């Protein structure tokens, strides 16, 4: 195994030095920002702000339309209910099915199930 070189000294960086340097940089930046009076500049000329405002308007419209759709779906479910078909299985138990897929899974293509399957599909369509 090769010898490791542990003779290199690490630079003296402490948390205090990093914090102090950051504080100095922030103070200098804020001083320049206030001195150049960037806050009084019209933000509508900044392309990023223009795009962000368009995005914000589209987002608010999407939220409004989503709430409207949810209210309409709730009213529809309260008025009409959810589509379903009730079938009686061979053992006498009644089952409510809510999709064509579930009807096809429960009822095979046996000759005795074909008529029941057709009726269940018609009930679901109604």
């Amino acid at each position: 195994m090769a010898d490791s070189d542990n003779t290199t000294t690490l630079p003296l960086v402490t948390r205090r030095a990093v914090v102090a340097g950051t504080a100095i940089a922030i103070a200098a930046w804020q001083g320049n920002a206030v001195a150049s009076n960037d806050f009084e500049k019209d933000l509508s000329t900044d392309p990023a702000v223009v795009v962000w405002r368009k995005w914000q308007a589209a987002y608010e419209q999407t939220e409004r339309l989503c709430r409207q759709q949810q209210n309409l779906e709730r009213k529809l479910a309260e008025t009409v209910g959810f589509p379903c078909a009730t079938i009686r299985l061979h053992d006498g138990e009644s089952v409510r099915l809510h999709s064509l897929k579930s009807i096809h899974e429960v009822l095979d293509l046996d000759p005795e199930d074909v008529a029941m399957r057709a009726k269940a599909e018609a009930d679901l369509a109604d």
Side-chain angles (χ1 to χ4, degrees):
M1 185 164 173
D3 288 340
S4 62
D5 185 14
N6 289 334
T7 59
T8 306
T9 58
L10 296 175
L12 184 60
V13 177
T14 63
R15 187 192 305 319
R16 184 174 295 163
V18 171
V19 171
T22 304
I24 291 168
I26 289 173
W29 178 78
Q30 286 178 342
N32 290 339
V34 172
S36 67
N37 217 357
D38 283 341
F39 295 116
E40 294 178 11
K41 183 173 82 170
D42 185 17
L43 291 178
S44 64
T45 59
D46 185 357
V49 173
V50 172
V51 170
W52 178 83
R53 286 183 179 153
K54 288 180 182 179
W55 179 89
Q56 185 68 27
Y59 174 78
E60 289 170 0
Q61 182 180 14
T62 301
E63 287 292 310
R64 184 182 54 77
L65 291 172
C66 180
R67 284 190 300 276
Q68 182 180 3
Q69 178 186 4
Q70 290 171 346
N71 285 332
L72 291 172
E73 287 176 347
R74 181 184 47 80
K75 288 178 184 177
L76 182 65
E78 290 172 354
T79 304
V80 178
F82 292 100
C84 68
T86 304
I87 61 168
R88 186 171 302 278
L89 299 176
H90 297 296
D91 61 0
E93 181 182 352
S94 292
V95 177
R96 293 182 73 165
L97 304 172
H98 297 278
S99 69
L100 286 174
K101 182 179 178 185
S102 61
I103 290 172
H104 295 178
E105 288 174 354
V106 171
L107 297 174
D108 296 328
L109 292 175
D110 294 336
E112 55 196 30
D113 289 342
V114 171
M116 191 183 311
R117 184 175 178 173
K119 183 182 179 318
E121 289 175 356
D123 289 347
L124 188 66
D126 287 341

